[in-house]
Amino acid sequence: MKGLKETFKLIKFNALPIFMYELIMRVLSYSVLIPALYALVNFSVKFSGVKYLYKSNLHRFFHSPTTYIFFVLIVLIYAFALMLNIIGVIIAIDASRRKERISSVELFFRSLVRTVALLRPRNILILVAAIFLLPISSVAFTSLSLLNVQIPSYIVVYFSKKKMLLNTLMIIYASISLLFFGLIYLIHSYVLGKKGFKKSAKDSLRLLKAGGIRKVFGILIFNLLVVGAIFFLSGTLTEIMYRVLKVTSSKKSVNYLIYIATVNVNKLLYIPMALFTFPMIFGYISVKYYQVAEMHPEVLTEPEKKHRIIHKINEKDEAWREKRRERTHRKKLASFKNDPEKYRLYKRAVLTMVILIFVVLDAAYYILVSVNILSLNAAHLRTAVVTAHRGDSKHAPENTLAAFELAIENGADVIELDVRETKDGKIIVTHDKNLKRTTGIDAYVEDLTYGEIRQFDAGSWFSEEYKGEQIPTLQEAIELIDGRAKLNIELKPDVQNKHLEESVAELIEEYDLYDDCVVTSLQYKAIKKIKEIDDRIETVYVMSAAGGNYYDLKYADNYSINYRFIDDHVMRNCNQRGKEVYAWTVNSAEALESVMMVGVDNVITDDPGFVKDSMYESYNNGLFSYIVARLAFE
C-alpha cells in the first residue's frame, strides 16, 4: 500500500517528537482532562438535585435539564482534547513532508495555538464537527479508547430498559456522522490552509467530489485493519497469558483468571498502541489529503471576488495574523539559533518546564483523590479486595485448612479466620465458644486443652468428604497460607483468656505479617489491647450496625460493617479520615452490587469464587475485558 508506506516514512522523519508529543497528551489527559471531567460530573450531580449518584436516583438525574447541559460541556471538552492531539499529528506530518525537523515543545505550542483558535466564533463549528467525524475518521482509535472505558452496570441496566430511546439516539448520531462524511478533510484544511469552518468545509467537499471518495473508503478500510490487528494481537496475547495462568496459578475462578490476563495485556499494549495508533491513522489521512490536493490544486484556491466592500477588507484575517505570529516567533528564536548552545538550553528548559507542570498537576490530582477532596459523586465501579469469610465456607467446613486452601484456589485475596485460646494457652481457629455446632461435642473451648480438641472431627458436620478435618492452630493456618493470601484474624476473647492478644501479636511478629494481615474484633477493647502491645499491627473494628460517632476511634485503623448499614454517608466519613470500609457478609449479586456502588474497599463473603466471578465479569471492568474475554474464550 503506497499510502501506508508514505505514512511510515513521514512518521519516521519526526518519530521522536511525535511520540514524545503523544506521551505528553496521555499525561495531560490524566492530570488535567480527567479531573476536569470529574468536576463537571460532580457539578451535574449537584445541579440535578441529588447529593450522590445511586441506582435509586438515576431517574431523577437523567430527567434534570442541567444534566444534559453538563453532558454537552463534557463532550466539548473531550473533543477539544482530541483536537489538540489530532492537530499536533497533522502539524508534525506536514513538517515531515516539508523535510522540517520539529521539536516536541514547538509541536505542542503550535498545536495549542491552533486548537485554542477553534474557540473563536468562525471556527467553533469545527469543534462540533469533530465529535461526529471521529467515529468515521478514526474507528481504530475510538475502539482502542472505548475498550478501556468502565461502564457503570446500573447505568447499563437503566438504558437497557429504554431501548427505544437508546436506539433512536444511536441512529441519530450515526446518521449525523454519515452526513459529516464529506468533511473528512475539514481539520486538515483548517490546520494547513488556516481557514475557518465555512471555507474548510467547502474545501473538504470539493476534494471529495474531485476524486477523494475512493481514498476516503481507503481510510475506513485502513481503520478496520488496525482494529482487526488490535483485537487479534490482544486476543492472542490474552489467550496465551490465560493458559499460562491456568497452568501456573492455583486459583480456579475462570472469570478472575480472564480478568488478570486481559488487564495485564491491556497494560502491556495500551500505551504503545495509543502512542502508535493515533499518528498512524491521522498520518494516513494526511497522506490521502496531500494526494487529492496535489491532483486537484484548483480546489484549494478560492477565486478572488471582484467587488469587495471596503469594511470587509478591514475584517480580521485569521490566516494573515497567524503568519504574522509565526514570523514574530521565528524572529525571537533567531537570536538563539545563532548561538546553538544557548538555543539547546532554551529548548531543554521549556520542555522541562512543561513536563514539571504536568507532573505537578498529575501528583496534585492523585493526592486530592487519595484524601477524598476530589472524588466522583457517583457509585464507584472499581473492584474491591475479596475476603473469604472463615475460608471458602460455602464449599468446605468453616475455619479449616481445607476451607482456606479452597478459598485461595477460588481467588480470595484475604482469608478471614476466628481465633480463640484453649485452656492450655494454644491459639486455635474456631468461631463458636461452644464446639457442638462444628464438631458435635458439647464443650467450651476455654475448658479444653489443645490435645483434647485435636481429637474432634470438624469436617463431618459439613459433608462426608471432609470427615476427619481437624480444628487447626493459627500457626498452622499461617504456614499453610504462606503469603498466597493475606490474613484477617478476628479475635474472639473470653473472660478466661489470659494471653490471646499477646499470643496473636507474637505470631504476627514471628512471621513478619505486618504488611499481610489485619487484626479485627467485635470488642473494641481487644483491638485496643493489640495496638498497645504492638502499634505496627493494623486493626479493624467490626460492627453489626453503623450508628453514632464511631469514625474517630483511636485504636481502629479501619471498620468492618454489616453491608446493610453501609451508605455514602458512612463511606464519605470513613474515607475523609483515611479509613477503609469492609462489608460483611456479602453472598448475593444484589448485595455485591449495593456495596460496589458505594465503593467499599473490602468485600467479605462465604463464597469468594462467586464474588470474584461477579466482580470481574461483564461491564464492571470495562469493554476491554468484556469483549476480549468473549472473543478469546467463547
Side-chain angles (χ1 to χ4, degrees):
M1 291 177 69
K2 185 180 177 182
L4 186 59
K5 185 178 180 180
E6 182 66 18
T7 303
F8 273 116
K9 184 179 177 181
L10 292 175
I11 290 175
K12 184 180 177 182
F13 188 83
N14 273 308
L16 184 59
I18 289 173
F19 292 126
M20 279 294 294
Y21 181 75
E22 288 299 314
L23 190 59
I24 289 172
M25 288 297 98
R26 299 295 163 265
V27 176
L28 182 61
S29 69
Y30 282 106
S31 60
V32 178
L33 181 61
I34 292 176
L37 296 181
Y38 263 44
L40 281 173
V41 171
N42 285 346
F43 277 122
S44 67
V45 171
K46 181 180 178 181
F47 278 92
S48 68
V50 298
K51 290 184 177 179
Y52 202 85
L53 193 59
Y54 277 113
K55 183 179 179 180
S56 59
N57 58 27
L58 275 177
H59 181 82
R60 185 177 177 183
F61 176 71
F62 282 113
H63 280 73
S64 171
T66 57
T67 296
Y68 298 96
I69 294 172
F70 280 104
F71 175 74
V72 170
L73 287 173
I74 289 169
V75 171
L76 287 174
I77 289 173
Y78 187 68
F80 184 89
L82 282 174
M83 285 298 289
L84 181 60
N85 205 339
I86 293 168
I87 289 171
V89 172
I90 292 172
I91 291 173
I93 294 295
D94 189 61
S96 295
R97 183 170 173 265
R98 291 182 284 103
K99 303 299 180 184
E100 175 192 342
R101 297 288 181 182
I102 187 169
S103 70
S104 54
V105 177
E106 186 179 355
L107 178 58
F108 176 78
F109 285 111
R110 283 174 61 180
S111 305
L112 186 62
V113 168
R114 292 303 294 152
T115 309
V116 170
L118 287 171
L119 302 178
R120 292 170 183 160
R122 60 174 285 189
N123 299 328
I124 192 69
L125 287 177
I126 297 176
L127 193 62
V128 176
I131 298 168
F132 299 99
L133 275 173
L134 190 66
I136 295 174
S137 63
S138 182
V139 175
F141 184 79
T142 306
S143 302
L144 187 64
S145 300
L146 289 178
L147 289 175
N148 295 277
V149 172
Q150 289 188 332
I151 300 178
S153 58
Y154 56 95
I155 291 179
V156 171
V157 172
Y158 177 84
F159 278 107
S160 67
K161 295 176 182 178
K162 300 180 180 294
K163 289 182 180 178
M164 182 65 73
L165 173 63
L166 187 61
N167 290 337
T168 302
L169 291 173
M170 293 299 292
I171 290 169
I172 291 172
Y173 182 77
S175 300
I176 296 174
S177 294
L178 287 173
L179 288 174
F180 274 83
F181 191 81
L183 302 182
I184 193 77
Y185 300 122
L186 174 75
I187 304 171
H188 286 75
S189 184
Y190 164 73
V191 176
L192 303 177
K194 296 182 172 60
K195 300 175 182 179
F197 171 77
K198 191 178 291 186
K199 291 182 180 179
S200 296
K202 285 181 180 179
D203 282 352
S204 184
L205 291 170
R206 287 170 183 160
L207 285 171
L208 201 67
K209 187 178 179 180
I213 294 179
R214 190 173 63 180
K215 295 188 183 301
V216 169
F217 278 114
I219 292 168
L220 290 174
I221 292 169
F222 176 74
N223 270 272
L224 292 174
L225 288 174
V226 174
V227 170
I230 290 171
F231 274 101
F232 176 77
L233 186 59
S234 61
T236 302
L237 291 177
T238 299
E239 185 172 4
I240 292 170
M241 186 169 288
Y242 167 74
R243 295 189 185 283
V244 170
L245 287 171
K246 195 173 180 180
V247 173
T248 60
S249 175
S250 61
K251 296 175 173 58
K252 295 180 179 178
S253 173
V254 174
N255 280 333
Y256 177 62
L257 290 178
I258 292 173
Y259 168 78
I260 293 299
T262 52
V263 163
N264 280 286
V265 169
N266 188 9
K267 289 177 181 177
L268 180 69
L269 286 180
Y270 181 71
I271 293 298
M273 289 299 287
L275 295 181
F276 183 73
T277 303
F278 215 100
M280 277 300 300
I281 290 168
F282 285 96
Y284 188 81
I285 296 173
S286 295
V287 168
K288 295 301 175 184
Y289 171 81
Y290 295 134
Q291 288 175 356
V292 181
E294 286 171 1
M295 289 170 62
H296 305 277
E298 73 282 354
V299 170
L300 302 179
T301 306
E302 191 170 314
E304 288 291 325
K305 294 180 180 178
K306 293 181 180 179
H307 306 289
R308 303 191 73 176
I309 301 173
I310 298 298
H311 72 270
K312 282 198 171 183
I313 297 175
N314 297 324
E315 282 185 349
K316 295 179 180 178
D317 188 335
E318 176 58 31
W320 176 80
R321 292 198 299 121
E322 181 67 26
K323 288 178 181 177
R324 186 177 180 181
R325 278 195 293 268
E326 287 183 5
R327 283 199 300 269
T328 304
H329 180 66
R330 288 194 186 102
K331 285 179 181 178
K332 288 181 179 178
L333 292 179
S335 60
F336 286 115
K337 289 182 178 179
N338 292 330
D339 186 345
E341 182 63 22
K342 191 175 181 181
Y343 183 56
R344 185 175 62 83
L345 292 173
Y346 164 75
K347 289 198 296 184
R348 284 188 178 182
V350 173
L351 182 59
T352 303
M353 181 182 69
V354 171
I355 292 172
L356 283 174
I357 289 171
F358 287 159
V359 169
V360 169
L361 287 171
D362 212 25
Y365 163 65
Y366 284 108
I367 290 169
L368 289 173
V369 169
S370 66
V371 298
N372 208 42
I373 292 174
L374 176 66
S375 61
L376 186 63
N377 289 340
H380 292 291
L381 296 166
R382 58 184 174 78
T383 54
V385 173
V386 175
T387 296
H389 185 233
R390 308 176 195 172
D392 192 339
S393 53
K394 172 82 172 180
H395 302 105
E398 67 180 57
N399 279 321
T400 62
L401 298 183
F404 303 153
E405 186 65 44
L406 189 59
I408 294 170
E409 289 179 1
N410 284 325
D413 304 301
V414 181
I415 305 298
E416 189 268 353
L417 49 81
D418 307 284
V419 294
R420 290 183 177 274
E421 185 178 351
T422 64
K423 183 179 180 179
D424 55 347
K426 289 287 185 180
I427 307 303
I428 64 168
V429 180
T430 188
H431 179 271
D432 297 355
K433 179 183 176 73
N434 189 289
L435 297 174
K436 187 173 183 179
R437 181 176 65 88
T438 55
T439 67
I441 307 297
D442 187 9
Y444 293 95
V445 173
E446 64 269 18
D447 295 332
L448 300 169
T449 64
Y450 173 64
E452 292 171 327
I453 292 174
R454 195 68 169 176
Q455 305 305 312
F456 300 162
D457 181 352
S460 294
W461 70 275
F462 188 85
S463 75
E464 283 298 312
E465 179 186 352
Y466 293 100
K467 184 178 181 179
E469 195 72 33
Q470 297 175 321
I471 295 175
T473 64
L474 175 59
Q475 184 172 2
E476 286 175 326
I478 291 171
E479 291 177 352
L480 171 81
I481 295 167
D482 191 27
R484 293 181 294 161
K486 294 187 178 183
L487 275 169
N488 178 328
I489 304 169
E490 182 172 347
L491 302 174
K492 296 291 185 182
D494 188 86
V495 291
Q496 297 185 38
N497 291 162
K498 296 178 181 178
H499 307 291
L500 177 63
E501 291 84 358
E502 289 86 348
S503 298
V504 169
E506 285 174 6
L507 282 170
I508 291 171
E509 182 178 27
E510 180 182 347
Y511 287 90
D512 192 20
L513 297 175
Y514 293 107
D515 295 327
D516 294 315
C517 84
V518 294
V519 174
T520 71
S521 183
L522 277 160
Q523 295 187 25
Y524 182 66
K525 63 181 183 181
I527 61 172
K528 176 185 177 182
K529 190 173 181 180
I530 279 285
K531 276 291 190 186
E532 289 173 343
I533 294 169
D534 191 338
D535 62 4
R536 293 174 293 176
I537 298 173
E538 187 175 351
T539 57
V540 180
Y541 183 34
V542 183
M543 296 182 291
S544 297
N549 186 20
Y550 57 86
Y551 303 109
D552 295 308
L553 291 174
K554 181 179 178 181
Y555 298 103
D557 295 318
N558 304 304
Y559 298 100
S560 183
I561 305 170
N562 186 320
Y563 79 90
R564 294 180 178 85
F565 296 93
I566 301 174
D567 57 20
D568 64 301
H569 178 75
V570 170
M571 290 302 305
R572 190 162 296 176
N573 277 287
C574 290
N575 289 338
Q576 283 176 351
R577 292 160 174 81
K579 299 189 177 186
E580 294 183 350
V581 175
Y582 296 41
W584 61 271
T585 303
V586 177
N587 290 325
S588 68
E590 294 76 17
L592 178 62
E593 183 182 11
S594 70
V595 298
M596 290 302 293
M597 281 202 301
V598 294
V600 298
D601 302 283
N602 195 306
V603 175
I604 301 174
T605 177
D606 295 330
D607 192 352
F610 162 75
V611 169
K612 275 284 185 180
D613 281 352
S614 300
M615 189 181 295
Y616 289 99
E617 72 181 359
S618 191
Y619 292 103
N620 277 6
N621 286 290
L623 287 177
F624 184 88
S625 300
Y626 179 75
I627 295 173
V628 172
R630 297 305 183 268
L631 287 178
F633 308 114
E634 284 195 353

